[in-house]
Amino acid sequence: MSNTNSLYSPRQVNVTRYVMPLREGGSLPALAEADDGFNYVLKFKGAGQREKALIAEVIGGELARRVGFKVPEIVFANLDSAFGNSEGDEEIQDLLKSSQGLNLALHFLSKAMTFDPGASKVDEYLASQIVWFDAWITNVDRTFRNTNLLIWNRELWLIDHGASLVFHHSWDNWEKHALSPFAMVQDHVLLPRASELDRVDAEMKSLITHEVIDQVLELVPDEWILASRDTETAQEAREVYDSFLKMRLAHSHVFLIQANDARKALI
């Protein structure tokens, strides 16, 4: 894997049409059209985990992109204050009203198929890279029940990183979280194929430089960070995210041991 798209920065689009809800998502994401003519999977800041899910989506998705994983383009999607007034479904209308302003969207991969571990096999090295990466960012949502992997143009694409960075929902004891193993790795859909975890550890740590982490954290809008009022300034919060990711990276052996032990229990 190569370190790609190092200068990538999300575009901003205006949502012009709400096409339909995507009911498979617990936070009611939607298929929407934007003023650039493309369709997007729209994630709302007014949904369940609010801005925290969008922050995790940007950080997780853009870190994945920078180490070479296939990730749909992430854009910042603006919802006008009048958008959704004609929506008949009250739940959706409330969601749209509470999400006015800046939201997040991923480019819609038309005709993509949900990854089925029973029908498709992933290369063991790639599987190991993805398992390692998800253990690093504490992504709890890449399971057999909900793989958050797509097959598009015969390639594996990673989606939905909004359930990553679990520590930021409580914010306290982030140092403890940074140095903790990742027990949920036992449920990872690709763990049975992840036979090269020790080999990928050094490579992933060489790709994920401090500069890469710093670049990605600068992409997160201040308004999303400040919405939760965890810190007085956005920069204070960025410093915590920065320290968490770098500390966890430096102590990758902690979650690596957990992942290897979980895999041994499976096989």
Side-chain angles (χ1 to χ4, degrees):
M1 246 192 265
S2 60
N3 189 344
T4 58
N5 298 301
S6 60
L7 299 178
Y8 171 88
S9 182
R11 297 181 296 115
Q12 185 165 330
V13 300
N14 296 306
V15 180
T16 56
R17 187 167 71 97
Y18 183 99
V19 179
M20 65 178 190
L22 299 173
R23 295 288 181 179
E24 64 269 20
S27 57
L28 283 182
L31 181 64
E33 186 178 309
D35 58 358
D36 61 356
F38 291 107
N39 286 338
Y40 294 91
V41 176
L42 183 59
K43 306 291 185 75
F44 299 100
K45 66 180 179 181
Q49 301 295 339
R50 298 196 61 84
E51 287 87 354
K52 290 287 180 70
L54 305 191
I55 292 170
E57 193 78 67
V58 170
I59 295 174
E62 292 305 330
L63 283 171
R65 187 189 313 283
R66 278 162 172 74
V67 297
F69 292 123
K70 298 287 185 182
V71 181
E73 181 189 8
I74 293 173
V75 301
F76 297 134
N78 187 63
L79 275 185
D80 186 83
S81 58
F83 191 84
N85 286 343
S86 61
E87 173 59 47
D89 186 306
E90 288 189 13
E91 183 182 14
I92 294 175
Q93 189 175 103
D94 289 343
L95 179 63
L96 296 176
K97 287 181 177 178
S98 64
S99 301
Q100 292 172 2
L102 201 62
N103 296 269
L104 178 142
L106 291 90
H107 190 88
F108 179 64
L109 302 181
S110 180
K111 298 182 180 179
M113 299 180 63
T114 299
F115 170 73
D116 180 353
S120 302
K121 279 194 175 182
V122 177
D123 173 80
E124 293 190 9
Y125 199 74
L126 176 58
S128 301
Q129 290 172 316
I130 296 172
V131 169
W132 186 100
F133 180 80
D134 284 336
W136 173 49
I137 65 170
T138 63
N139 180 16
V140 302
D141 203 11
R142 189 118 49 215
T143 65
F144 283 88
R145 187 181 67 176
N146 190 24
T147 66
N148 283 323
L149 295 167
L150 298 177
I151 302 294
W152 192 62
N153 289 343
R154 299 183 179 181
E155 293 181 303
L156 192 69
W157 290 71
L158 279 61
I159 60 170
D160 289 354
H161 294 90
S164 306
L165 304 172
V166 179
F167 84 93
H168 73 170
H169 292 290
S170 62
W171 208 254
D172 297 328
N173 299 318
W174 66 263
E175 297 100 332
K176 179 181 177 182
H177 286 282
L179 297 175
S180 296
F182 183 55
M184 292 294 290
V185 75
Q186 65 185 355
D187 299 321
H188 199 290
V189 66
L190 296 181
L191 185 62
R193 299 283 299 169
S195 62
E196 305 287 345
L197 288 168
D198 293 320
R199 280 186 59 205
V200 306
D201 183 55
E203 180 194 354
M204 296 298 281
K205 291 173 76 169
S206 69
L207 290 173
I208 306 167
T209 63
H210 285 195
E211 182 184 18
V212 165
I213 294 173
D214 294 341
Q215 287 175 351
V216 168
L217 292 178
E218 285 302 317
L219 300 179
V220 182
D222 286 2
E223 65 182 83
W224 291 354
I225 296 176
L226 294 172
S228 59
R229 300 180 182 178
D230 291 312
T231 56
E232 290 188 10
T233 67
Q235 189 55 35
E236 285 180 75
R238 281 197 183 86
E239 288 171 3
V240 175
Y241 283 113
D242 185 72
S243 297
F244 173 86
L245 289 166
K246 290 175 182 176
M247 186 180 295
R248 195 158 178 78
L249 189 66
H251 295 85
S252 64
H253 63 277
V254 175
F255 62 78
L256 193 64
I257 291 170
Q258 174 88 35
N260 276 318
D261 288 347
R263 187 170 182 276
K264 289 175 185 175
L266 288 179
I267 59 177

